[in-house]
Amino acid sequence: VWNLEPGRTLAPHKNETAKRNYGINIARKQGYTHFIVMDFDEFYLQDEFMREKERIHRENLTGLVCRLKVHFKVPTLCCDDHTLVPFIHKLETWTASGSFQDYPFAYDAAGNAHIDPTRRLNYTSGIAMSDILCHHYSWVRADFEVKINNSAARDNLRRSTIYADLAAAAPGVYNNFYRKTLEECPNYFNL
């Protein structure tokens, strides 16, 4: 998976991992010292981002992990997710993304996974928890079927409560998929 070229012929999980490693390899070839693992529908608030960028250097960390806030159906509805995401990391000659079991924070004490296997890095130390949020517009889109069909977890999504949750989405409504109550939040991009 570390050397695969991303493409439509790969299984979704392998393709997602291949895309992440493709990006890491481009950063490495261009001489970057650090990188961020993130998707096109994710963002960080600029002041928080800059603070944590300085923290990496100040504390000489290998990387940071942060919590995720998912935006659901519209930009102004959100809830916390149990998922954690790798944030800024030092880039080494051997850096790779994949289903690395020993990546810090990947699992909690009870053995529950909290980091997507396509995002886990092959680091085992020097990783700290950040207090900032990664905002994920995961379910803010015109066509939810495209999201589901392109997901590495598409079979699980189709069996889940996601369709009913999308239909019922409103402030104060309990979202079964995330097991959280939806809250109102700022419309960061005036969408």
Side-chain angles (χ1 to χ4, degrees):
V1 176
W2 296 274
N3 296 317
L4 292 176
E5 186 77 19
R8 295 178 186 228
T9 60
L10 295 176
H13 177 81
K14 286 188 178 189
N15 194 46
E16 195 70 20
T17 303
K19 286 188 287 185
R20 295 190 194 288
N21 283 308
Y22 183 79
I24 288 169
N25 286 330
I26 288 174
R28 187 181 292 115
K29 286 177 185 174
Q30 294 193 7
Y32 289 100
T33 60
H34 292 76
F35 70 102
I36 302 171
V37 177
M38 67 186 287
D39 295 342
F40 78 97
D41 58 355
E42 296 172 347
F43 69 93
Y44 296 90
L45 299 179
Q46 185 174 0
D47 58 331
E48 294 176 351
F49 180 95
M50 296 307 288
R51 183 187 77 222
E52 293 301 271
K53 178 182 169 189
E54 292 303 317
R55 179 182 174 201
I56 285 273
H57 297 292
R58 185 178 63 251
E59 296 180 21
N60 194 29
L61 296 169
T62 302
L64 290 169
V65 170
C66 60
R67 294 175 297 119
L68 190 80
K69 184 165 286 279
V70 65
H71 294 253
F72 198 81
K73 191 174 181 179
V74 295
T76 56
L77 277 180
C78 66
C79 65
D80 292 332
D81 190 353
H82 75 90
T83 305
L84 303 172
V85 291
F87 182 40
I88 300 172
H89 283 70
K90 286 183 180 177
L91 183 57
E92 306 291 350
T93 57
W94 43 264
T95 300
S97 183
S99 188
F100 296 105
Q101 304 294 315
D102 294 330
Y103 180 73
F105 305 104
Y107 295 91
D108 63 21
N112 300 308
H114 290 281
I115 297 179
D116 179 333
T118 70
R119 290 185 186 240
R120 295 179 199 152
L121 300 165
N122 59 342
Y123 298 107
T124 57
S125 64
I127 310 298
M129 183 60 72
S130 172
D131 65 352
I132 72 169
L133 293 171
C134 173
H135 293 266
H136 191 186
Y137 274 25
S138 183
W139 296 102
V140 178
R141 49 195 75 233
D143 189 341
F144 299 113
E145 286 301 318
V146 171
K147 163 75 175 173
I148 291 168
N149 289 332
N150 287 326
S151 173
R154 70 176 164 221
D155 294 336
N156 290 337
L157 286 169
R158 288 185 181 131
R159 290 189 299 265
S160 76
T161 62
I162 198 69
Y163 293 106
D165 289 322
L166 287 164
V173 170
Y174 185 78
N175 183 295
N176 287 298
F177 186 78
Y178 287 100
R179 297 184 199 112
K180 303 280 170 111
T181 300
L182 295 174
E183 307 168 349
E184 287 190 89
C185 61
N187 188 347
Y188 293 104
F189 301 106
N190 297 318
L191 299 176

